[in-house]
Amino acid sequence: MEVNAIRQVATPWAGARGLATGLMLTELHQDVWNGSLMLSMGMPTDIDTPPRVVYRLVFEHLFGYRVLEGSDVLDFIDDDEQDIDAQVQLITPSRFLTWFHQQTHGTHLDEDIQHYRISSWDFCVDVLAAQAPLVQRKQE
């Protein structure tokens, strides 16, 4: 990390309290027409079967997102940000949000944009959104 870099703090997002942990990202779908992003999270059952979807996060007022996979996830997340019990976190202050404001020349500075990080063992999805995601629990 650079000496003058923004030091990010990851806080468990209260809206994810009580959700299962140890989930895998099973699907990421962006509807570019209405500007939403849906992330499906699932529980692995065995090596030959796709994970059973446990819940979905739906972001309606999306500004941007990025996805990292595999070993890149471990290199990207700071050591003190790893919390196995918090798969959905709020990141403040956010280097991603700072970069977004630089790229958009401050067009959205007056909006309350939050940086959400959804972490699993194989993927890390960072989402910039103006509204908290809707959590949809899958019925068993």
Side-chain angles (χ1 to χ4, degrees):
M1 178 185 286
E2 296 176 3
V3 174
N4 293 324
I6 296 172
R7 180 157 176 77
Q8 300 184 129
V9 176
T11 306
W13 177 57
R17 189 175 293 125
L19 296 178
T21 58
L23 300 173
M24 297 174 59
L25 182 67
T26 60
E27 181 182 3
L28 184 143
H29 175 76
Q30 181 182 7
D31 185 333
V32 295
W33 191 257
N34 71 17
S36 67
L37 178 71
M38 181 192 66
L39 302 169
S40 296
M41 304 292 289
M43 187 62 69
T45 53
D46 65 58
I47 198 156
D48 296 324
T49 307
R52 178 180 50 84
V53 173
V54 175
Y55 70 89
R56 290 186 174 92
L57 293 173
V58 180
F59 292 90
E60 293 293 337
H61 197 147
L62 180 68
F63 284 92
Y65 69 95
R66 63 184 176 192
V67 180
L68 295 173
E69 71 173 292
S71 61
D72 296 330
V73 172
L74 296 177
D75 293 338
F76 180 72
I77 298 174
D78 294 339
D79 289 338
D80 61 342
E81 291 181 10
Q82 296 184 39
D83 182 354
I84 196 70
D85 293 329
Q87 285 193 267
V88 183
Q89 302 169 325
L90 282 171
I91 308 297
T92 55
S94 165
R95 293 188 289 261
F96 184 32
L97 184 55
T98 299
W99 172 85
F100 172 78
H101 286 311
Q102 290 171 342
Q103 298 304 306
T104 61
H105 302 286
T107 304
H108 302 284
L109 281 170
D110 61 339
E111 300 194 47
D112 185 20
I113 302 172
Q114 299 295 317
H115 176 176
Y116 295 88
R117 174 168 290 155
I118 298 87
S119 302
S120 66
W121 65 271
D122 57 347
F123 286 94
C124 177
V125 182
D126 289 297
V127 179
L128 299 178
Q131 296 174 351
L134 172 66
V135 178
Q136 300 172 338
R137 294 175 194 256
K138 182 83 171 170
Q139 299 299 323
E140 304 227 2

